[in-house]
Amino acid sequence: MRVAPLVVICLLCTTVAEAQQPCCTPLQWQATLGITYGQVFIDSNTAQAVQNVTAELAFDWTKRTTALWMTGTQYSPLVPTPFPIHGVYIWDHDKGVEWNADLIRHNCQRSDLSKGPVPKLCIPDDAVHVGTTKLGPSQTVCDIYHYKWPKLGYPTTAVVTRKGCIPLRVAIVGGGESSGGVFIDFRVYNMKEGIQNTSLLSPPNFCSHDDSKASEVQPFSPLATLFTSLVKTAR
């Protein structure tokens, strides 16, 4: 399910058009993601955290592998200084392996993963087409959809090009009155069909096939958890 939204501002300048059918992205592609992730925790003391991340995403449906290489910073009043994020997450359903690598400490975690086909990244069948807009000098026609993120159920707005189902942006907002909330904004840049950098699909050189040092790897990123709900969900 890779796609994209415009926020309220874009929706205001949107023309509602005839209902469009949900679509799927290309079977092989890679892109740079600009990601803003924020979370509010509600317990005895309400606190918040914000992550600003740049990521390289590679999706290869034919090789049954998805990879996310992230670098960025987390800010939170719970931590005295900004916390660096440099992590790699690879879901290889061809070999049955999931990698979580810490690029700062050079530690890896290798976990078993189910083998078999992976879902295509699609706008779900039950998504609601809420409008159409045109972007850029070439006036590219884009469709805007609203749906719930798989498994997690977060309300999601996505914008994709009508031609080719190219993702442009995704906005996700979720949470509850007692549990806190989360917002995520994905901006997709320089998407290219095919995998231009095949090394993205392999773990870093310092990882070995018997790595299982879960305690030494930085905590599994909420963003990686979000992508896990995609690559492990059948269409």
Side-chain angles (χ1 to χ4, degrees):
M1 313 237 335
R2 259 236 82 14
V3 274
L6 286 172
V7 232
V8 181
I9 253 180
C10 184
L11 293 174
L12 292 176
C13 57
T14 292
T15 7
V16 176
E18 70 280 2
Q20 294 298 309
Q21 294 301 310
C23 60
C24 296
T25 70
L27 298 182
Q28 292 177 308
W29 60 274
Q30 115 179 34
T32 300
L33 305 181
I35 306 171
T36 302
Y37 171 89
Q39 187 168 13
V40 175
F41 312 91
I42 297 180
D43 47 28
S44 57
N45 295 304
T46 299
Q48 71 274 359
V50 175
Q51 293 181 2
N52 290 316
V53 174
T54 299
E56 291 299 317
L57 174 69
F59 172 71
D60 194 326
W61 184 80
T62 59
K63 292 186 177 179
R64 303 175 177 179
T65 303
T66 304
L68 187 67
W69 293 65
M70 301 195 305
T71 181
T73 307
Q74 175 173 300
Y75 305 89
S76 172
L78 301 177
V79 182
T81 58
F83 181 77
I85 300 169
H86 297 282
V88 178
Y89 304 92
I90 298 174
W91 300 270
D92 188 338
H93 286 270
D94 187 51
K95 296 183 175 66
V97 176
E98 179 176 330
W99 293 97
N100 173 9
D102 186 330
L103 296 176
I104 298 176
R105 300 170 184 83
H106 282 203
N107 292 324
C108 290
Q109 176 185 345
R110 179 184 184 275
S111 307
D112 291 334
L113 192 65
S114 62
K115 288 187 176 183
V118 297
K120 298 176 182 178
L121 297 184
C122 304
I123 298 288
D125 292 335
D126 60 355
V128 177
H129 181 259
V130 295
T132 300
T133 190
K134 295 181 180 180
L135 298 177
S138 60
Q139 293 290 281
T140 301
V141 177
C142 302
D143 290 303
I144 304 169
Y145 293 91
H146 186 73
Y147 55 94
K148 291 187 181 298
W149 194 266
K151 293 186 179 179
L152 302 177
Y154 294 155
T156 302
T157 304
V159 178
V160 295
T161 62
R162 180 168 297 180
K163 181 179 180 181
C165 200
I166 305 300
L168 302 178
R169 198 163 180 177
V170 180
I172 303 167
V173 179
E177 292 183 5
S178 59
S179 60
V182 59
F183 74 86
I184 307 158
D185 181 32
F186 294 96
R187 302 163 301 280
V188 184
Y189 305 106
N190 302 321
M191 177 180 168
K192 296 181 177 64
E193 285 198 51
I195 306 299
Q196 314 299 315
N197 182 1
T198 56
S199 66
L200 293 175
L201 300 176
S202 300
N205 293 332
F206 57 79
C207 295
S208 65
H209 290 286
D210 58 355
D211 272 315
S212 57
K213 306 171 185 175
S215 60
E216 298 182 15
V217 183
Q218 67 180 12
F220 203 64
S221 166
L223 292 174
T225 302
L226 196 75
F227 276 92
T228 299
S229 66
L230 283 184
V231 299
K232 293 183 178 179
T233 302
R235 174 150 167 77

